[in-house]
Amino acid sequence: MNDNFRDPDFSAVLQEATIASARTNSEEKHLLLARLVAERVSCKSEDMVSLVSSSAVEAIRKLSSKHLNILGLAALVYQIRPVGFPRNLPAEIIETHAKSWWGSQLSAILPHTTDLTHIDMRHLVSLSCIDHDTIFSRDLNSFLKSGIGEWNSQKYLDESDNGKRLAEIYKSTLEQMTLTSTGMLIGILVHDQVIGRTTVIDWK
């Protein structure tokens, strides 16, 4: 950490974050930028977080709350998973834990998310947060089971309010998005801010 304080790249990121923070009244962005600087100062100069910090600062400044929150939801769907989830559990226990974990996560973040327009998507592409593909198709169920195990995720999508809303926004928006390293970093920070927890970012 002491070495990072003397790193000219960290100094540049800190300056960029300070300027970006001064150019907005958004408390949400102030907190995101502060967390980003904290992540940057605690990692090595060649780590992925270090390499994408500058582009993440620029993107945060230029994104609206709508854009930030969809990145948070995308990071949840595509990467963030429960820590230390036990293996080899009985099927009924996995079912209970999966519903509980996804329910608590989605209840917190879905109320902040809205479907994006085509120009919103192009804006995210222009800031190197996502790649946009309208043809590529991915199964949402596989993401809901990843890191957890087999459970009746389709029933959850069909019958629960959170599941129905997730299925809608996945079909209209998320399925067309592939997060870049910049978009994933911002999404994790947004997710953590909404959920009130800290995800360990380890991209080694």
Side-chain angles (χ1 to χ4, degrees):
M1 188 176 292
N2 287 332
D3 290 340
N4 281 341
F5 280 118
R6 295 188 292 270
D7 184 348
D9 181 70
F10 169 73
S11 298
V13 169
L14 178 59
Q15 182 181 40
E16 291 165 359
T18 302
I19 293 172
S21 181
R23 294 183 65 177
T24 177
N25 291 323
S26 169
E27 182 178 0
E28 176 187 22
K29 291 186 179 182
H30 291 167
L31 293 172
L32 290 173
L33 291 166
R35 168 79 189 284
L36 181 56
V37 170
E39 290 290 338
R40 173 61 183 86
V41 78
S42 62
C43 62
K44 296 179 180 179
S45 60
E46 293 298 311
D47 287 352
M48 282 300 299
V49 172
S50 296
L51 297 176
V52 302
S53 291
S54 184
S55 60
V57 168
E58 180 183 5
I60 288 171
R61 182 177 71 82
K62 296 180 179 179
L63 293 173
S64 70
S65 181
K66 174 173 64 172
H67 302 131
L68 292 169
N69 286 319
I70 203 69
L71 291 177
L73 179 59
L76 170 63
V77 170
Y78 293 135
Q79 178 163 328
I80 297 170
R81 292 297 176 267
V83 177
F85 195 85
R87 302 297 178 185
N88 303 317
L89 292 173
E92 62 272 15
I93 296 180
I94 293 178
E95 189 82 15
T96 299
H97 280 285
K99 288 180 180 177
S100 175
W101 188 82
W102 278 106
S104 63
Q105 296 283 315
L106 294 173
S107 291
I109 203 165
L110 277 177
H112 302 281
T113 58
T114 58
D115 302 82
L116 299 187
T117 65
H118 183 66
I119 193 63
D120 287 321
M121 301 289 264
R122 292 181 66 179
H123 184 58
L124 286 168
V125 170
S126 73
L127 293 173
S128 301
C129 291
I130 67 167
D131 292 323
H132 184 207
D133 191 336
T134 59
I135 300 175
F136 192 57
S137 179
R138 292 173 287 184
D139 180 20
L140 178 55
N141 283 291
S142 65
F143 293 112
L144 296 183
K145 295 175 182 178
S146 173
I148 295 177
E150 286 296 322
W151 64 289
N152 198 344
S153 55
Q154 188 59 55
K155 183 177 180 181
Y156 181 78
L157 293 173
D158 292 338
E159 298 183 1
S160 71
D161 290 339
N162 283 333
K164 291 176 183 176
R165 176 56 185 146
L166 176 60
E168 290 174 356
I169 202 166
Y170 181 79
K171 194 65 177 177
S172 68
T173 302
L174 294 186
E175 189 176 22
Q176 304 170 29
M177 296 170 51
T178 300
L179 292 175
T180 64
S181 54
T182 299
M184 183 64 76
L185 177 58
I186 295 172
I188 291 172
L189 301 184
V190 173
H191 163 272
D192 288 2
Q193 190 165 296
V194 172
I195 299 295
R197 55 158 286 186
T198 300
T199 300
V200 176
I201 305 174
D202 186 5
W203 289 348
K204 297 177 182 178

